Amino acid sequence: MTTAPLTIVAEFRVSAENRARFLELCAYDSERSVADEKGCQRFEAVSPIDDPQTVILVEVYDDEAAFDTHLATPHFKVFADGVKELGVKEISVRKTARYAPRA
Amino acid sequence: MTTAPLTIVAEFRVSAENRARFLELCAYDSERSVADEKGCQRFEAVSPIDDPQTVILVEVYDDEAAFDTHLATPHFKVFADGVKELGVKEISVRKTARYAPRA
């Protein structure tokens, strides 16, 4: 059983009118994180089918240092600024360890 | 922007004493789902570093039919029975559509 890598599970609430723009912002952050950050293994944005105003990001980094690097990137700043401008509510940003699949 | 595949985000609460057995059960379900189900692309179990009694499963299926197939497998029954026996509380099981990365 392993606890690497670091997976971030982040949950947000967005208004119906700003949802499309927020999802666009998530897609931008996803693209740039995977393309520009060596330590970002994966970055997905999903939204519950019966609760479209919730958006969940599942991001996988090599380790905590790689996530700290992410938080200092220009594309993260664009994302964070957009969250503020669109009035998106951050419900939770959880750092998690992976237990399955086993290494 | 695409909404395929189907991602399940399931969240559970487990007692401290039953956590190790529950994580073992998650690892078993993960292994068997990926090995035995053509429509299961990925099955990960993670747990917040500062909240170890929460366990989150992130499972990726080709589509809704593939998830229905999962729910009918012998290994899912082992998992569901274990959840009951260990007194694990199901907080939420959310069906989500993927919006990033873009197809």
Side-chain angles (χ1 to χ4, degrees), chain B residues 17-73:
Chain B
E17 69 172 315
N18 285 337
R19 181 176 188 261
R21 286 163 66 202
F22 182 55
L23 287 172
E24 180 59 34
L25 198 60
C26 293
Y28 166 79
D29 197 15
S30 165
E31 282 166 12
R32 294 267 47 94
S33 297
V34 172
D36 299 350
E37 299 172 35
K38 191 174 169 296
C40 180
Q41 300 178 15
R42 194 200 307 149
F43 188 127
E44 292 174 351
V46 300
S47 180
I49 292 166
D50 65 358
D51 177 20
Q53 287 174 244
T54 291
V55 174
I56 304 168
L57 305 183
V58 181
E59 310 166 35
V60 181
Y61 297 90
D62 288 348
D63 49 31
E64 290 255 359
F67 182 55
D68 289 342
T69 297
H70 170 74
L71 297 178
T73 58

Side-chain angles (χ1 to χ4, degrees), chain A residues 22-49:
Chain A
F22 182 54
L23 287 172
E24 179 59 34
L25 199 58
C26 294
Y28 166 79
D29 197 13
S30 165
E31 282 166 13
R32 294 268 45 94
S33 297
V34 173
D36 298 350
E37 299 172 35
K38 191 174 169 297
C40 180
Q41 299 178 16
R42 194 200 306 149
F43 188 127
E44 292 174 352
V46 301
S47 180
I49 293 167

Side-chain angles (χ1 to χ4, degrees), chain A residues 31 44-45 49 95 99 102, chain B residues 31 45 49 95 99 102:
Chain A
E31 282 166 13
E44 292 174 352
I49 293 167
K95 295 181 179 183
Y99 291 88
R102 291 184 260 227
Chain B
E31 282 166 12
I49 292 166
K95 295 181 178 183
Y99 290 89
R102 292 184 260 228

